[in-house]
């Protein structure tokens, strides 16, 4: 029988993280049920000045409640909240969430996802995460996680009980880079980076850009290559650090253009340039100046 998510995480990291990651995975069921009913904007905006969708608001609240209910979470930092949610004092984990990544794609019915980084005690450097995962609400729901022992993908079974079963174990970025996606406007990129991006097709890579970070990273994880957002738009703690943790565990790298994202120390709400993917490409980008 195919291995289930809880057992896989428990075998690698014990009961606590297994219960936590399993609860986050299972929350997808309700999130997908609500999706068609919560189109349109709410009345609020987040700390980045972005208008919040009804679905952003609902997903954030539902995920925060789910995390607190596990009894395992001391504090939750969310991209959508001005202040952290206090969970259970002395509980083992502190969690950073991007509840609905790529929510501008909700309007056009393209894929969006959820990103989670888990720490013990308090948020620290990305290298101090004890787990990271992302979920993709695509044609099927997937959960891709790491507890520092490789990267593994689970897929939600289509029928019957709530079950996420192993679809890919010990994922590695393919050595031959197949795809690239670079966000923002070319005029915002340093000239040498523009030249570098222009050279990628000559090296056999194809453009793939969806506008949802996790969906674009997921393509890089499967096909090899590069995701970049050179302007400091993406969020360090909620987006960059968890994906950097996964990239490294899959044999790749993540950088802000100068330094390994996993070693960057900055405010929990900081934004960062992000370059993610095959190690050789990221090293070339770091040398461009
Ligand atoms: O969360 C921010 C985000 O939606 C990412 O998921 C995505 O990579 C990026 O913004 C897309 O930005 P743009 O709309 O500028 O391409
Ligand atoms: Mn996001």
């Amino acid at each position: 029988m195919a291995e289930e998510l809880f057992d896989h995480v428990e075998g690698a990291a014990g009961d606590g993280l297994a219960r936590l990651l399993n609860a986050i995975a299972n929350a997808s069921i309700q999130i997908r049920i609500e999706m068609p009913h919560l189109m349109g904007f709410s009345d609020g905006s987040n700390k980045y000045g972005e208008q919040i969708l009804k679905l952003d608001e609902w997903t954030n609240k539902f995920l925060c409640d789910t995390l607190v209910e596990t009894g395992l979470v001391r504090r939750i930092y969310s991209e959508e909240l001005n202040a952290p949610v206090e969970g259970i004092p002395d509980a083992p984990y502190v969690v950073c969430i991007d509840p609905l990544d790529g929510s501008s794609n909700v309007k056009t019915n393209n894929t969006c996802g959820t990103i989670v980084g888990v720490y013990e005690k308090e948020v620290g450097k990305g290298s101090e995460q004890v787990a990271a995962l992302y979920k993709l609400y695509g044609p099927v729901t997937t959960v891709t996680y790491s507890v520092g022992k490789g990267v593994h993908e689970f897929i939600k079974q289509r029928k019957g009980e709530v079950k996420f079963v192993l679809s890919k174990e010990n994922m590695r970025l393919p050595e031959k880079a197949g795809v690239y996606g670079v966000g923002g406007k070319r005029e915002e990129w340093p000239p040498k980076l523009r030249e570098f991006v222009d050279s990628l097709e000559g090296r056999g890579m194809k453009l793939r850009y969806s506008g949802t970070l996790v969906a674009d990273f997921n393509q890089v994880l499967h096909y090899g290559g590069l995701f970049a957002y050179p302007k400091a738009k993406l969020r360090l703690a909620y987006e960059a650090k968890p994906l950097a943790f996964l990239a490294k565990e899959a044999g790749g790298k993540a950088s802000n253009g100068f330094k390994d994202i996993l070693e960057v120390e900055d405010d929990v709400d900081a934004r960062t340039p992000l370059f993610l993917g095959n190690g050789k490409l990221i090293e070339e980008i770091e040398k461009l100046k």
Side-chain angles (χ1 to χ4, degrees), residues 240-256:
K241 286 182 186 177
L243 299 190
F245 187 83
L246 289 157
K248 182 177 175 217
E249 283 294 318
K253 282 194 173 169
S255 173
N256 61 6

Side-chain angles (χ1 to χ4, degrees), residues 79 98 101-102 239:
E79 185 179 305
D98 177 355
D101 177 53
E239 301 181 308

Side-chain angles (χ1 to χ4, degrees), residues 13-157:
D15 177 73
L17 278 179
R19 282 196 286 137
L20 186 69
L21 301 199
N22 203 49
I24 296 168
N26 289 349
S28 334
I29 315 300
Q30 199 58 34
I31 292 171
R32 294 213 76 140
I33 290 171
E34 296 296 332
M35 269 182 184
H37 308 293
L38 290 168
M39 299 310 229
F41 289 106
S42 71
D43 296 329
S45 57
N46 66 15
K47 57 197 164 198
Y48 301 100
E50 298 160 343
Q51 258 195 301
I52 301 179
L53 295 176
K54 286 183 198 155
L55 189 60
D56 279 319
E57 201 170 61
W58 181 88
T59 309
N60 178 65
K61 168 102 176 52
F62 182 68
L63 266 182
C64 289
D65 290 349
T66 302
L67 287 165
V68 173
E69 274 164 27
T70 64
L72 293 162
V73 175
R74 177 187 308 194
R75 186 167 300 122
I76 304 159
Y77 294 89
S78 167
E79 185 179 305
E80 302 300 347
L81 296 175
N82 294 332
V85 171
E86 295 302 329
I88 314 296
D90 299 328
Y93 303 114
V94 170
V95 182
C96 289
I97 59 172
D98 177 355
L100 196 64
D101 177 53
S103 52
S104 66
N105 270 334
V106 169
K107 190 171 155 187
T108 50
N109 194 28
N110 288 333
T111 302
C112 50
T114 294
I115 310 175
V116 181
V118 183
Y119 299 81
E120 285 172 336
K121 297 196 180 84
E122 198 35 90
V123 177
K125 291 194 286 185
S127 56
E128 291 165 29
Q129 290 170 107
V130 291
L133 72 77
Y134 67 86
K135 301 195 278 179
L136 268 186
Y137 310 117
V140 289
T141 305
T142 54
V143 173
T144 305
Y145 92 91
S146 180
V147 290
K149 293 181 181 167
V151 176
H152 318 289
E153 181 192 83
F154 283 71
I155 194 160
K156 161 79 175 64
Q157 294 299 283

Side-chain angles (χ1 to χ4, degrees), residues 200-222:
L200 295 177
E201 292 184 15
R203 306 182 196 197
M205 294 169 72
K206 279 193 303 193
L207 172 64
R208 287 276 180 96
Y209 187 79
S210 80
T212 290
L213 173 61
V214 268
D216 288 323
F217 174 65
N218 189 59
Q219 303 207 64
V220 169
L221 184 57
H222 283 81

